[in-house]
């Protein structure tokens, strides 16, 4: 059973179709990179996976649980899917430590000490233990994103979703975040990553999904994608992002 | 012709102090109730269900479109009528203070709901999304993530509204409630020293509101730095 499975998912904003019959899957331990031009529906797709974006047609299963089913306990499902956003979305009014413990305490019911121990261990792992008492606003973008990854990991996720985690960062900070993600991928984390960092895709992705106009145009292995991209649209896209 | 006798203020200090206590009491209850119910109203207006948001919006717009003084009047004269209609008993069911409290809470909650709504909308949508992504539910996301940030942004506006509210408490003279202004009027009528007493009332209001406005400015400056 795949960890994440999308079956013929469609979504409309009024008469505008954002997702058009999208079908794909992410196996356990697999890393899937999603790319495509701006406005092609990548964010919408990845947010549909943990129920942040409702959809009108099709089905999404995470670990066998249907996301679109009204009977599904979404908070419970989301608690075990880590999500990292383009703009970090740390809680600015809470210390780094509090950011790391909030979900563990409120959602998983862990004790404050247990949550703190876990959070600080992960903070250490992303190399930011010394920042534990600071507030998000006092950290650089790259540091904030690493904290955001640690926050997601503190919930012991069965899969991680990334929505352009490096595109709001200054170039010199991109690698510190990608390094953390590469390490995570190599440890066998199931990951669905919207990104245009093709270096990352080459290094750790198993498959690449290419989207355009709400459709999944390409869904193939990394080697196929970088070797002989079949669609013209994907080729144009690749040549654009590789040459800027 | 103008010969002031400031001694009357000292002479009536107890009545004036009692009036001030009534004003402050009304102010505190109206402020707390207004913020509490205003927050609930704002959440209702922002709810995705029309069944909840439309009545909330209707209430807020209705209240905001009638003069404050009329709301106070209404509650004073209407509530006993409604109560007696339902209970079949005659007479004044609620006193002026209670009816004033109800009127003030309703009006203030309508005003505060607009402030809170703007405050909630000032928080980027990614914040509740991140809270939900961690598995927090609606109330946890609001209570832990959205409202604390929204209130911080709103604090100066809320304090400004509180200053206006404090000034508005003097409107209760229409239902013969002895607030600070009412006590001063009464003393003025008894002694014929109405000018002195009204000047005193004005000075006290001015000092209190001036201090509060000053606090708002300082707060605004501090919040701007802390960003
Ligand atoms: N709330 C909304 N109402 C209407 N249209 C929307 C809404 N949100 C997104 N869209 C549209 O849906 C399309 C897909 O948006 P989405 O954010 O998923 O694209 P994306 O591939 O992530 O783009 P980007 O690379 O710019 O992040 C866009 O055309 C966008 O304008
Ligand atoms: Mg996007």
């Amino acid at each position: 059973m795949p960890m994440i499975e999308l079956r013929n998912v469609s979504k409309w904003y009024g008469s505008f179709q954002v997702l058009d019959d999208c079908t794909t899957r992410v196996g356990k331990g697999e890393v899937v990179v999603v790319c495509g031009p701006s406005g092609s529906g990548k964010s919408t797709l990845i947010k549909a996976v943990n129920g942040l974006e409702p959809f009108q047609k099709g089905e999404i299963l995470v670990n066998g649980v249907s996301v679109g089913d009204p009977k599904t306990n979404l908070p419970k499902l989301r608690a075990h899917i880590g999500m990292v956003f383009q703009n970090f979305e740390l809680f600015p009014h809470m210390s780094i430590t509090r950011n790391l413990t909030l979900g563990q305490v409120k959602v998983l019911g862990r004790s404050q000490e247990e949550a703190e121990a876990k959070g600080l261990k992960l903070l250490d792992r992303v190399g930011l233990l010394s920042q534990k008492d600071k507030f998000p606003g006092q950290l650089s973008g790259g540091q904030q994103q690493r904290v955001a990854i640690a926050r997601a990991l503190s919930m012991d996720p069965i899969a991680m979703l990334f929505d352009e985690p490096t595109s709001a960062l200054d170039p010199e900070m991109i690698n510190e975040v990608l390094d953390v993600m590469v390490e995570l991928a190599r440890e066998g984390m199931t990951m669905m990553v919207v990104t245009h960092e093709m270096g990352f895709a080459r290094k750790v992705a198993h498959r690449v999904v290419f989207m355009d106009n709400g459709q999944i145009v390409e869904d193939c292995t990394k080697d196929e994608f970088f070797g002989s991209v079949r669609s013209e649209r994907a080729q144009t896209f690749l040549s654009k992002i590789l040459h800027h | 012709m103008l010969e002031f006798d400031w001694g009357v203020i000292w002479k009536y200090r107890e009545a004036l102090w009692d009036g001030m206590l009534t004003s402050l009491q009304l102010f505190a209850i109206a402020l707390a109730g207004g913020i509490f119910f205003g927050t609930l109203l704002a959440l209702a207006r922002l709810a995705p269900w029309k069944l909840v948001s439309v009545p909330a919006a209707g209430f807020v717009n209705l209240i905001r479109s009638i003069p404050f003084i009329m709301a106070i009047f209404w509650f004073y004269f209407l509530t006993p009528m409604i109560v007696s209609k339902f209970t079949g008993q005659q007479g004044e069911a609620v006193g002026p203070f209670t009816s004033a409290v109800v009127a003030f809470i309703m009006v203030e909650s309508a005003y505060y709901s607009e402030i809170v709504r703007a405050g909630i909308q000032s928080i980027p949508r990614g914040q509740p999304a991140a809270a939900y992504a961690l598995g927090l539910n609606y109330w946890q996301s609001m209570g832990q993530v959205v409202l604390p940030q929204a209130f911080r942004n709103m604090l100066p506006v809320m304090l400004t509204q509180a200053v206006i509210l404090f000034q508005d408490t003097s409107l209760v003279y229409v239902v013969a409630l002895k607030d600070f202004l009412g006590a001063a009027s009464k003393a003025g009528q008894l002694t014929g020293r109405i000018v002195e007493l009204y000047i005193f009332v004005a000075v006290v209001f001015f000092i209190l509101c001036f201090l509060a406005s000053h606090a708002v400015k300082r707060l605004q400056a501090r919040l701007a730095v802390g960003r």
Side-chain angles (χ1 to χ4, degrees):
Chain A
M1 182 180 73
M3 192 62 94
I4 300 169
E5 183 164 14
L6 293 90
R7 292 185 193 147
N8 310 101
V9 175
S10 292
K11 178 186 171 81
W12 288 262
Y13 282 119
S15 62
F16 174 70
Q17 189 161 11
V18 224
L19 296 179
D20 185 357
D21 205 30
C22 295
T23 299
T24 190
R25 48 170 56 196
V26 184
K28 197 168 184 320
E30 205 176 15
V31 177
V32 173
V33 160
V34 180
C35 60
S38 180
S40 56
K42 308 177 298 289
S43 296
T44 312
L45 186 81
I46 202 162
K47 284 179 186 154
V49 171
N50 67 351
L52 286 179
E53 287 279 3
F55 50 93
Q56 285 94 18
K57 260 177 81 178
E59 193 177 26
I60 299 179
L61 298 172
V62 176
N63 205 18
V65 178
S66 168
V67 178
D69 188 340
K71 288 196 288 288
T72 297
N73 183 342
L74 273 183
K76 199 173 153 203
L77 180 72
R78 288 172 182 145
H80 294 290
I81 311 173
M83 179 140 198
V84 176
F85 298 83
Q86 184 171 358
N87 295 314
F88 331 131
E89 306 299 352
L90 293 179
F91 306 131
H93 57 303
M94 297 178 184
S95 70
I96 298 303
T97 303
R98 187 98 202 286
N99 265 278
L100 289 162
T101 55
L102 181 74
Q104 297 187 67
V105 172
K106 299 276 171 201
V107 180
L108 301 181
R110 289 181 183 154
S111 72
Q112 189 63 40
E113 300 81 62
E114 194 187 350
E116 212 164 298
K118 172 108 194 170
L120 294 183
K121 207 174 99 197
L122 287 160
L123 195 61
D124 193 22
R125 186 182 151 171
V126 298
L128 294 169
L129 188 57
S130 58
Q131 315 289 321
K132 68 181 169 73
D133 296 320
K134 290 199 178 155
F135 281 77
Q138 296 169 291
L139 268 54
S140 74
Q143 290 175 323
Q144 288 189 53
Q145 195 61 300
R146 280 147 65 198
V147 173
I149 294 173
R151 178 175 71 177
L153 291 175
S154 73
M155 304 293 285
D156 293 321
I158 53 171
M160 289 279 287
L161 309 173
F162 294 83
D163 187 6
E164 303 207 36
T166 57
S167 59
L169 296 176
D170 292 336
E172 70 270 21
M173 293 174 188
I174 290 177
N175 279 327
E176 65 185 59
V177 172
L178 287 180
D179 287 347
V180 173
M181 291 169 61
V182 166
E183 197 189 326
L184 210 55
R186 294 208 165 128
E187 280 170 17
M189 176 60 80
T190 306
M191 292 164 73
M192 190 167 173
V193 185
V194 175
T195 187
H196 289 163
E197 292 295 333
M198 288 303 135
F200 173 80
R202 277 182 202 278
K203 221 186 248 176
V204 293
H206 297 104
R207 290 198 354 268
V208 178
V209 166
F210 174 75
M211 290 186 75
D212 197 12
N213 289 325
Q215 290 175 328
I216 293 184
V217 182
E218 298 278 348
D219 183 351
C220 51
T221 66
K222 165 181 65 176
D223 294 336
E224 280 177 315
F225 186 77
F226 290 113
S228 57
V229 208
R230 280 157 293 184
S231 77
E232 209 172 297
R233 280 187 285 186
Q235 253 157 21
T236 324
F237 172 76
L238 260 187
S239 67
K240 257 189 216 148
I241 59 166
L242 293 179
H243 290 135
H244 80 201
Chain B
M1 176 208 137
L2 274 181
E3 261 190 40
F4 291 133
D5 173 14
W6 299 105
V8 291
I9 292 161
W10 183 248
K11 199 169 152 211
Y12 283 88
R13 65 188 182 278
E14 269 170 35
L16 288 169
W17 179 242
D18 282 348
M20 182 49 97
L21 285 184
T22 303
S23 295
L24 288 174
Q25 226 178 347
L26 182 61
F27 167 74
I29 298 172
L31 185 68
I35 291 174
F36 179 76
F37 290 108
T39 305
L40 291 183
L41 270 175
L43 294 178
R45 281 197 77 172
L46 293 170
W49 313 286
K50 285 217 156 49
L51 215 65
V52 176
S53 64
V54 171
F59 172 81
V60 171
N61 291 329
L62 174 76
I63 294 282
R64 277 161 51 94
S65 55
I66 58 173
F68 201 154
I69 206 160
M70 219 172 94
I72 299 170
F73 249 137
W74 256 24
F75 279 98
Y76 185 57
F77 292 109
L78 269 174
T79 331
M81 269 163 69
I82 294 168
V83 171
S84 68
K85 195 151 204 150
F86 278 105
T87 60
Q89 282 166 358
Q90 278 297 312
E92 210 173 301
V94 288
F97 188 75
T98 311
S99 74
V101 162
V102 174
F104 267 78
I105 288 179
M106 291 191 89
V107 172
E108 289 306 316
S109 61
Y111 283 110
Y112 272 109
S113 84
E114 289 295 275
I115 297 174
V116 176
R117 189 165 68 112
I120 291 174
Q121 284 173 329
S122 75
I123 305 304
R125 291 170 56 105
Q127 285 288 305
Y132 291 137
L134 278 175
L136 269 63
N137 61 31
Y138 172 82
W139 292 106
Q140 291 171 325
S141 156
M142 273 296 164
Q144 301 286 328
V145 175
V146 179
L147 287 178
Q149 294 184 65
F151 274 108
R152 195 191 137 109
N153 291 352
M154 297 183 278
L155 214 53
V157 193
M158 290 186 108
L159 275 175
T160 306
Q161 178 64 28
V163 171
I164 298 171
L165 164 62
F166 184 63
Q167 294 170 350
D168 283 347
T169 56
S170 59
L171 291 175
V172 294
Y173 80 89
V174 295
V175 292
L177 184 62
K178 275 258 184 47
D179 70 323
F180 184 50
L181 178 64
S185 298
K186 190 75 196 269
Q189 281 158 20
L190 289 175
T191 57
R193 291 289 173 186
I194 204 138
V195 178
E196 287 89 335
L197 282 151
Y198 276 178
I199 290 175
F200 176 65
V201 168
V203 168
V204 170
F205 266 96
F206 176 78
I207 291 172
L208 287 177
C209 295
F210 178 81
L211 288 177
S213 308
H214 199 67
V216 172
K217 275 204 197 94
R218 286 187 45 179
L219 197 71
Q220 256 165 339
R222 261 189 48 195
L223 287 180
V225 171
R227 220 115 261 277

